[in-house]
Amino acid sequence: MTDRGGFAALDPCVHCGFCLQACPTFLATGDEADSPRGRIELMRAIEAGELAPDDPALALHLDRCLGCRGCEPVCPSGVGYGRGLAAARALITSRRGVPPLARAALAALTGAGVSRVVYALTRALRATGIPRWLAGWGRVRFAMGMLAATRPAKGGGGRRRLGEVGGGASRSNLPPPPPTSPVLLFRGCVMEGLFSHVHDATIRTLEVNGYAVREVPDQVCCGALHEHAGLESDARRLARLNVAAFGDGDEPIVVNSAGCGAMLKEYGHLLHPDAGGFASRVKDVTELLAARGPRPGAPVDATVAYDPPCHLLHAQRIAEPPETVLRAIPVLRLVKTPDAAQCCGSAGLFTLIEPAMSRAVLAPKLETLAEARPQVVATGNPGCLMQLGAGLAAAGIPAVARHPVELLDESYAAAGYYA
Amino acid sequence: MARDLAPLVDTLAEIVGPRHVRTALPERVTYAKDGLPTHRRVPGVVVLPGSRDEVIAVVRLLGALGMPFVPRGAGTGLSGGALADGDAVLIVLTRLNRILKIDARNRLAVVEPGVVNVRLSVAAAPHGLQYTPDPSSQTACTIGGNVAENAGGPHCLKYGVTATHVLALEVALADGRVVELGSPGGEPWGPDLVGLFVGSEGNFGVATRITVRLLPVARAVRTLLADFTSLRTAGEAVSAVIASGIVPAALEMMDQSCIQAVEDSVYAAGYPRDAAAVLLAELDGAHEAAVAADAETIQAVLRAHGARSVLVAADAQQREKLWLGRKKAFGAMGRLSRDLVVQDAVVPRSTLPDVLETIARIAAEYGLTVSNVFHAGDGNLHPNISFDGRTPGLRERVEAASAEIMATCIAAGGTITGEHGIGLDKLRYMPLLFDGDSLAAMRAVRHVWDPEERVNPGKVVPVHACREWSGLRMGRAPNPGAQSAIRNPQSAIDRKATAR
Ligand SMILES: Cc1cc2nc3c(=O)[nH]c(=O)nc-3n(C[C@H](O)[C@H](O)[C@H](O)COP(=O)(O)OP(=O)(O)OC[C@H]3O[C@@H](n4cnc5c(N)ncnc54)[C@H](O)[C@@H]3O)c2cc1C
Ligand code: SF4
Ligand code: SF4
């Protein structure tokens, strides 16, 4: 067999069109070139050498793909769209390089030295409260909204905040903690730089449920953003470093960012046989929590819309566990919006690089959220938290975006688990 | 894009906005196929109007220029109908996706042509109503495409195909004149012009607004899955069910190879993998007791005619699963092999067992995998041939086998399409069914709507087989002024305007 890489995953496509209505970019433009089926045609054409990978009219439509993989679970033939896309993007990047904006964003967010400075500066800016004031539409104001959305909720780690009903379970009547099992925390770059409070909540809630969270030194960025940009060899290099850092034990590797989780689970394909074992250890935090119940916390009186990240729902096919986690919070009302399963338009660097399409994809979601009137939109991915947070602020919808474990953490704090 | 088209593109961009005119090769290539990818034509220009007025303006412009054009919905057609050649403009209607009105009291809806079939039923559901014709492609195809193909679907066995459900149409004719056909209250007088347009495969103009009938969602439903150890027995059971006098809402068949493809997919429905065929039957109505009694009868008939077992869906969830498997079956065929062609033919129901056996024999002779999934109650066959087009000579073999299957269906007293239309794919079979005079008559009807044959040219009627063709070819001068008009579109419009 000649190695056709990810392109072979496109072979089962029979051009039936069942994926069209699942694709947010097709819904936004109605253009076949912005649909999964049309993009598969383009990818097949570049593999066959019929079209040049750096033809701007071709690259435009592959660049405009969110990589959300909403097209995969609806495909009766099981087309591996995501794998094909990775192969196509690698080919495009090998010809035209990475566009300057994407390269700058990559360095700022994931570069070992640079990003530390960038995150420190952005945190300082965030602390001023200015981004929250500036949040709105337009490129800069939206970015400010995204930054504002990363702010930990008032009150700081593990303390009571959101509509608590008060009282709640007291420590004495709680069942004894189940046996302690070790898990390794994957920290990532954006999560570590801007959402360290979610890491804290992850550690606390896991511990309540009997997991002992261990830190792993020398771990690096998962490489997802590199792969999206077509930098396959960079992604592979990072993957090797992570595989080495996490060792070959059998402890689960816990991830609270859907995008990183999806990438880590792909290491088997990226590195071929040597990383299959690693990939099977990777677990989303909600998977681990749901496996233990999770233990119920104190009531939180809030209406929450769960918005599954594409890289959790479509790429990892994890649907139930986040809802199970939220249902462990008494009184909390979980509402469902009809288009929850559709991408919010964040898609890694997409929101920065393709702002017009990104906002067009976000718009219908904001409309249904405005109608559903939740107080919190829960989603387990840094990009989605920022995109939804910024969108809610810009549209003037009085709701905040939070990670599901943050909500559980609050409920546990109120229950006195951390006292 | 041919260089001559450049000025046209500017004018199109003025009408619809530059973002909605597609001229670059990679963009046009994505429109080169429909749901039957064995045919491939790259259109000259693709235009995506955003409103009825824009469609009409585009059609008027092309009329003034004498340029051929092709309407396209979602491109799920299975006869190559929505393809345009390099000298033609493809008018894509996906952006016309608004439901303009749901009138629950009078049970009708007015929609733009690009509304996706299932979205209308979803929108009507709060009123207890639905848009009944349910092609398996209903989550993707447009109502405009359904009208053009007179689409059928599993539940059309009892409730009739698209034609039964269209009340009125607004159509942009080839030259951009806009006509109203039918009326929301039903055809007021004279010939059924709506009926004439429905099924015209984009040859009679562009449907720009469609008024359809909505029906109440059935209050009582029973869904049965019967499995058989031979294809012949299953075919015989179909006739027995119909002979019982009860009209099922739907009666569908899937053979073993199709069952495997579905069961391997995300739409696995729990069909028994070892069955030679399954029948999916649905009974529905307004009264629980009556439907339950009908279901009992049909169960007994199926058992008496060789069903190994009959499963009754326990609840709505299981019913939906059984149906999803059926409706996504065609899409799942990609699991069997890289390439796929689907045929569409209707045979008298009584001949089903023989025809199915003959098809299996033809498949064996040509060494091909044929899977069957079809509307058994109507005798509407869909043999699917799976193959790897990269194997030298295989495409020719598939074509030859297809032709033989078609000949078998015609010999059994059937016809060459049940619902997918003629398009490009079935042109060559038309002369097997119709003589030159009949084809000429069809062509004459078309000329009433589109005298220059500019809308979706080269489809449906094989021109060379028409009796009057040779005369016409000699007599027909190329459209005067077309060439210069392409270079200067605005002048052509002005000229037409002053001529009027
Ligand atoms: C998986 C699958 C299952 C299918 N199942 C069924 C089935 O059960 N029953 C069935 O009948 N068909 C079925 N089909 C075929 C197809 O879905 C139907 O023919 C459908 O009606 C096509 O709609 P479309 O919007 O995709 O039209 P297109 O493919 O875009 O166009 C089809 C034809 O309609 C014309 N057209 C489109 N819009 C307009 C308009 N507004 N005005 C005038 N002409 C127009 C085009 O020129 C073309 O000739 C299936 C197809 C697939 C891929
Ligand atoms: S990707 Fe799957 S659903 Fe989409 S056209 Fe291809 S086979 Fe059909
Ligand atoms: S990954 Fe998302 S945006 Fe890209 S083609 Fe699939 S559904 Fe569309």
Side-chain angles (χ1 to χ4, degrees), chain A residues 15 41, chain B residues 25 27-34 36-46 70 72 79-88 90 423-425 427 456-459:
Chain A
H15 224 256
E41 283 301 303
Chain B
L25 180 64
E27 294 168 328
R28 291 181 289 125
V29 159
T30 63
Y31 289 94
K33 300 173 185 170
D34 65 1
L36 186 73
T38 39
H39 295 273
R40 187 173 185 277
R41 306 276 169 98
V42 181
V45 180
V46 179
V70 179
R72 178 172 167 119
S79 54
L83 310 190
D85 285 316
D87 63 349
L90 190 68
L424 280 175
D425 194 55
L427 274 177
N456 211 354
K459 312 276 170 63

Side-chain angles (χ1 to χ4, degrees), chain A residues 11-12 14-18 20-21 29-33 37-38 41-42 51 55 57-58 61 64 73-74 76-78, chain B residues 22 24 26-27 30-31 33-35 48 72 74-75 94 116 119 136 139-140 265-267 327-328 331-332 334-335 338:
Chain A
D11 285 356
V14 291
H15 224 256
C16 68
F18 278 138
L20 296 176
Q21 293 291 317
T29 66
D31 188 347
E32 183 87 28
R37 183 173 70 168
E41 283 301 303
L42 296 178
L51 291 172
D55 183 325
L58 177 145
H61 296 286
R64 290 219 289 221
V74 296
S77 275
Chain B
R22 298 267 167 238
E27 294 168 328
T30 63
Y31 289 94
K33 300 173 185 170
D34 65 1
L48 294 103
R72 178 172 167 119
T94 46
V116 169
R119 293 204 186 246
S136 304
T139 54
S265 82
V266 286
Y267 298 104
K327 293 202 169 171
K328 304 289 178 176
R335 294 174 178 274
R338 205 169 182 265

